[in-house]
Amino acid sequence: MKVVTIIGARPQFIKAATVSRVIATREDISEVIVHTGQHYDANMSDVFFEELAIPRPDHHLGIGGCSHGQMTGRQLEAIEKVLLAEMPDMVLVYGDTNSTLAGALSAVKLHIPVAHIEAGLRSYNRRMPEEINRILTDHASDWLFAPTETAVANLRREGLPEERIALVGDVMYDATLFYRERARPPEWWDNIQVEPGQFILATVHRAENTDDPVRLSAILAGLAASEHPVIMPMHPRTRTKIDEFGLTLPDGIHAVPPVGYLDMNWLEAHSWMIATDSGGVQKEAYFHGKRCVTLREETEWVELVESGWNVLVGADFDNIFSGLRGSGSKISSPFYGDGDAAARIVKGLMGEV
């Protein structure tokens, strides 16, 4: 069986690494990796292939840095050409990016079966491009590999056929377990004079936060008001918008360059608390036993909010300030499987379950 894997953004590199590792152990599956180029900064892309030991992409499309519509359209056209040349038996797509939707649509229009890994997530905020991407991809896919019971319930509620849905757990949990021992402090760690376990790790990258000067300013002020120093790996978009809006980074926030996956794992494991607008980082906080303050009004990982691990604060200064001081009760539960999601996915694709 020949599989084409479509990836283009940092979280997808991590997810694909887990499944690619399982595929590599089998002689009855071959994999062709297509990198759309949606993340084109070296620290946001190239380093992940090196750290995670993912094979270099067979095709690099170099499409990024443009509007949602232009990016999706250009990716769809380019991916279609690759699929016509490769003629795979199936296409694997991950998550909810423009690359995900473009890969799914390209395959469907060529009558190539699609498997969606991380299917069934819903924030119920259709202003988020990711929400539209994940809904359309789910309804176009032949295999729906759901990470949680909540995701399965969402797919059933939308009337998707039961035989397409499989609860497999979360490949991000697989990755955290596999790379935990390989994590290490970033090279700059000794230069910032912050103690392990005594800092807040913050990431901000979503357009709803970065492209609104009022929201971005409130987030930075809320983070800076914490009793703990804040380490903030600076996404290129966030840095650009801070400069464009003429904002000053408050005292107490240590802006650092984007970090690789292993560095990020170490920072998460050694933080006191995590503040983020990233879906993946919310889960990683839980994997490392850290409370998370989510800089959004909603989340697709509702079980983390319901169990007390996560609190939604949006971009409101008072809510952020309160959330970073709170402790809250936490209910421990294996929401995301047993760390064997990738193996379950490959078996599902091969009809072995």
Side-chain angles (χ1 to χ4, degrees):
M1 176 181 289
K2 184 178 185 180
V3 173
V4 165
T5 294
I6 309 291
I7 52 178
R10 164 183 165 150
Q12 295 170 330
F13 308 149
I14 303 166
K15 296 166 190 173
T18 65
V19 178
S20 295
R21 193 177 305 111
V22 176
I23 290 175
T25 66
R26 302 186 58 133
E27 296 182 355
D28 52 352
I29 313 178
S30 63
E31 182 181 31
V32 175
I33 298 177
V34 179
H35 182 1
T36 66
Q38 185 165 334
H39 277 175
Y40 49 90
D41 181 276
N43 281 335
M44 301 293 286
S45 179
D46 292 348
V47 67
F48 280 78
F49 289 96
E50 298 168 6
E51 288 188 339
L52 305 184
I54 305 174
R56 286 286 171 178
D58 300 276
H59 302 272
H60 197 306
L61 307 183
I63 301 171
C66 43
S67 69
H68 285 289
Q70 184 182 36
M71 184 186 300
T72 306
R74 290 179 59 195
Q75 289 176 355
L76 198 158
E77 180 181 10
I79 293 169
E80 182 181 65
K81 292 178 181 178
V82 172
L83 297 182
L84 286 170
E86 296 286 353
M87 291 306 296
D89 298 293
M90 73 178 66
V91 168
L92 299 186
V93 295
Y94 293 79
D96 55 19
T97 67
N98 293 334
S99 302
T100 307
L101 179 59
L105 290 178
S106 299
V108 166
K109 290 178 180 295
L110 294 174
H111 307 292
I112 300 171
V114 178
H116 186 199
I117 296 170
E118 207 174 67
L121 302 187
R122 298 291 183 268
S123 68
Y124 297 101
N125 177 4
R126 291 205 173 205
R127 292 181 60 84
M128 293 173 57
E130 295 88 351
E131 182 77 352
I132 302 303
N133 290 344
R134 60 174 74 109
I135 291 172
L136 295 178
T137 299
D138 280 341
H139 284 260
S141 296
D142 300 271
W143 287 273
L144 297 164
F145 293 113
T148 65
E149 292 280 5
T150 302
V152 170
N154 290 337
L155 295 169
R156 288 173 176 160
R157 192 177 301 116
E158 293 175 15
L160 287 159
E162 190 70 29
E163 62 271 16
R164 296 186 186 180
I165 303 170
L167 175 62
V168 295
D170 197 314
V171 291
M172 291 290 282
Y173 186 40
D174 293 23
T176 298
L177 294 177
F178 184 83
Y179 292 106
R180 182 174 286 167
E181 299 304 318
R182 295 167 172 78
R184 73 290 172 111
E187 293 181 357
W188 43 258
W189 173 256
D190 291 335
N191 298 327
I192 63 171
Q193 298 179 338
V194 173
E195 292 296 321
Q198 298 299 315
F199 65 91
I200 293 169
L201 176 64
T203 72
V204 181
H205 79 282
R206 288 189 181 272
E208 64 194 81
N209 287 330
T210 62
D211 297 2
D212 183 330
V214 175
R215 290 181 67 92
L216 183 55
S217 180
I219 287 171
L220 295 175
L223 293 173
S226 167
E227 299 172 328
H228 293 74
V230 176
I231 295 178
M232 187 174 181
M234 192 65 69
H235 191 284
R237 183 200 338 239
T238 311
R239 169 56 72 188
T240 297
K241 291 299 181 179
I242 288 174
D243 294 341
E244 179 183 321
F245 297 145
L247 301 178
T248 300
L249 207 62
D251 292 339
I253 296 180
H254 300 267
V256 297
V259 295
Y261 180 67
L262 298 181
D263 291 352
M264 188 66 175
N265 251 279
W266 189 92
L267 290 169
E268 289 167 343
H270 291 82
S271 67
W272 177 71
M273 186 183 289
I274 293 173
T276 186
D277 60 8
S278 162
V281 175
Q282 291 174 51
K283 286 185 300 176
E284 289 168 356
Y286 169 75
F287 298 155
H288 289 291
K290 307 296 181 178
R291 286 193 68 251
C292 182
V293 169
T294 295
L295 306 166
R296 291 164 53 187
E297 280 74 23
E298 73 289 307
T299 179
E300 50 276 21
W301 304 108
V302 295
E303 56 278 341
L304 294 180
V305 176
E306 293 171 351
S307 63
W309 285 94
N310 194 348
V311 58
L312 300 175
V313 298
D316 181 89
F317 173 88
D318 291 334
N319 288 343
I320 296 170
F321 179 79
S322 175
L324 293 176
R325 286 175 172 264
S327 55
S329 60
K330 302 185 292 290
I331 303 170
S332 184
S333 179
F335 299 120
Y336 302 108
D338 300 317
D340 61 351
R344 288 173 177 265
I345 288 167
V346 173
K347 287 182 179 180
L349 294 174
M350 300 302 291
E352 296 174 357
V353 293

